[in-house]
Amino acid sequence: MGLYRLLANLLSAVYQGPITPLHHPCGTSVLTQIHATKPFLEVLSGRRQPVPPIWMMRQAGRYLPEYRELRAKAGGFLDLCFTPDYAAEVTLQPIRRFNFDAAIIFSDILVIPYALGRSVRFEAGEGPRLDPLDTPEKVETLAGQGDFTKLEPVFEALRRVRRELDPKIALIGFCGAPWTVATYMVAGQGTPDQAPARMMAYRHPDAFAKIIDVLVQNSIQYLLGQLKAGADALQIFDTWAGVLPPREFQRWSIEPTRRIVEGVRAKVPGAKIIGFPRGAGALLPAYVAATGVDAVSIDWAAEPSLIRERVQNRVAVQGNLDPLALIAGGAALDQAVDDVLANYAGGRLIFNLGHGIQPETPIAHVEQMLQRVRAYRG
């Protein structure tokens, strides 16, 4: 048995996860690999990779002809999200085409309000529409507990993707951060600077805090469901964090995110979680210190020395190519890719965009980016 123990220890150093002895019919133990190494998870676990793992936010999207074809077949956007066959297929489309190091389940940040019984609809060319919670009286109508049977299609899509993914490719689940989801719930739609939610937070902080509290608790439950269904890691998207002044950023972005991370890890202690407080800038070090995330996604305007010296010394960094450079292609794209690598690849880096890929992005430019990143050796 000493030999098998030695082999198990050696294999555990190469592969992430346990090495389990199976018993041969003749009574001999046979060692089997349970989990292949996932470069994406290696970075989140504290191990820098010589070639940074890469994926893209919104990588399943309108820039892909196969996505557009399935989107037309599905009908409404929520029909696409809530049909497991369709959601699993569009999640896998960019993996088949580009072999990214991570897949992210195809869904939307507004499925939590939907589970809470709010009207959520997507109108072509106009984005999401909800019934606004723009007064304290309306906030009182908000349910405290979501109906998670409504989100079972998301969990089923995760299970299907998990079965089909190459063992080396990670699967990401996600939710919207409470602040960002609340901005849509208050206004009933996206606005240029999310002023309606900011105004409610100033004028009626108790009512606004109720929305946040409900979103925190239901987001914890939703993320735990995604982990149970097969997600390897989670991302919390705080798309509108950058509109908040420092005091409000602490209260409405950092604190709810900290509570979600804490709540998930109370049930799954090793859960790997990425935060994305878009536009946080100089507030990023405080966000990282307080929330407990394993990595932080940064937008293209992040200041490299600040990130290296005060963020990347604590957690992994994900980002931060400008999506417009990806549209531009050519020498400008090569330079932008090289800048990200020069700034951050010396530490733990997951190569990504600074926000989601744009629909008009040429597929050839994605291939150009991938080739350049994967040629890196550091």
Side-chain angles (χ1 to χ4, degrees):
M1 289 302 292
L3 174 60
Y4 291 114
R5 177 66 62 190
L6 175 61
L7 287 171
N9 289 339
L10 288 172
L11 288 169
S12 293
V14 176
Y15 297 108
Q16 178 178 316
I19 305 297
T20 303
L22 296 183
H23 293 282
H24 190 274
C26 296
T28 306
S29 293
V30 180
L31 292 171
T32 59
Q33 174 196 331
I34 301 301
H35 298 297
T37 300
K38 296 176 171 67
F40 174 86
L41 291 182
E42 289 288 290
V43 173
L44 294 182
S45 299
R47 294 178 284 275
R48 176 189 172 272
Q49 301 297 287
V51 179
I54 179 172
W55 68 284
M56 298 188 304
M57 287 182 273
R58 291 187 191 150
Q59 64 190 22
R62 286 176 289 169
Y63 74 106
L64 293 176
E66 56 266 41
Y67 171 88
R68 295 195 297 270
E69 181 180 343
L70 193 56
R71 173 74 173 83
K73 180 180 178 181
F77 178 74
L78 285 178
D79 294 317
L80 187 61
C81 290
F82 289 142
T83 304
D85 280 348
Y86 292 162
E89 172 60 22
V90 296
T91 299
L92 290 164
Q93 285 173 349
I95 303 302
R96 296 193 192 107
R97 187 183 278 270
F98 302 116
N99 196 33
F100 287 123
D101 293 291
I104 185 165
I105 194 64
F106 185 80
S107 187
D108 192 82
I109 64 170
L110 296 180
V111 296
I112 293 290
Y114 175 78
L116 289 166
R118 310 305 301 179
S119 171
V120 179
R121 54 204 180 274
F122 288 82
E123 299 179 8
E126 296 185 10
R129 293 290 186 271
L130 299 86
D131 294 335
L133 290 174
D134 50 5
T135 67
E137 292 73 25
K138 290 181 182 178
V139 172
E140 287 301 314
T141 69
L142 178 63
Q145 174 62 44
D147 177 3
F148 278 80
T149 62
K150 291 183 174 181
L151 303 187
E152 177 56 30
V154 179
F155 303 139
E156 176 58 24
L158 277 158
R159 289 189 286 267
R160 295 185 187 198
V161 173
R162 175 78 282 157
R163 289 194 294 267
E164 293 193 39
L165 268 188
D166 184 301
K168 293 183 179 179
I169 298 174
L171 178 55
I172 306 170
F174 72 92
C175 74
W179 162 253
T180 288
V181 176
T183 63
Y184 291 97
M185 294 177 73
V186 169
Q189 61 185 18
T191 64
D193 57 1
Q194 303 299 54
R198 292 161 61 198
M199 190 64 74
M200 173 174 268
Y202 283 129
R203 286 179 170 166
H204 308 290
D206 291 342
F208 191 76
K210 178 180 177 179
I211 301 175
I212 295 293
D213 289 345
V214 168
L215 291 173
V216 165
Q217 295 307 315
N218 284 272
S219 297
I220 291 169
Q221 187 174 342
Y222 180 46
L223 293 177
L224 287 169
Q226 292 183 69
L227 289 173
K228 184 177 180 181
D232 293 303
L234 305 168
Q235 180 153 321
I236 301 172
F237 286 88
D238 210 351
T239 309
W240 288 101
V243 302
L244 290 168
R247 182 186 296 274
E248 282 63 42
F249 181 82
Q250 171 66 41
R251 182 172 185 182
W252 303 123
S253 179
I254 288 180
E255 185 58 19
T257 300
R258 182 197 66 76
R259 290 166 58 195
I260 290 175
V261 172
E262 187 178 87
V264 169
R265 292 204 181 124
K267 299 290 186 181
V268 183
K272 299 301 179 189
I273 303 175
I274 303 167
F276 183 28
R278 184 186 177 204
L283 300 175
L284 272 169
Y287 177 95
V288 166
T291 59
V293 294
D294 299 286
V296 67
S297 207
I298 55 174
D299 60 64
W300 59 88
E303 206 288 310
S305 62
L306 170 77
I307 299 301
R308 285 195 304 268
E309 295 166 14
R310 298 184 58 198
V311 175
Q312 200 177 23
N313 63 333
R314 302 182 65 130
V315 298
V317 164
Q318 178 176 273
N320 69 329
L321 186 76
D322 186 345
L324 295 188
L326 191 59
I327 294 174
L333 174 57
D334 285 344
Q335 184 61 65
V337 169
D338 290 348
D339 285 346
V340 174
L341 294 170
N343 285 328
Y344 307 116
R348 287 189 289 146
L349 172 66
I350 296 165
F351 196 99
N352 206 311
L353 308 183
H355 198 225
I357 186 171
Q358 296 295 309
E360 61 268 34
T361 304
I363 288 172
H365 295 181
V366 178
E367 294 168 341
Q368 176 186 344
M369 174 191 70
L370 275 166
Q371 183 178 5
R372 200 161 187 90
V373 172
R374 288 181 168 157
Y376 178 84
R377 295 294 183 275

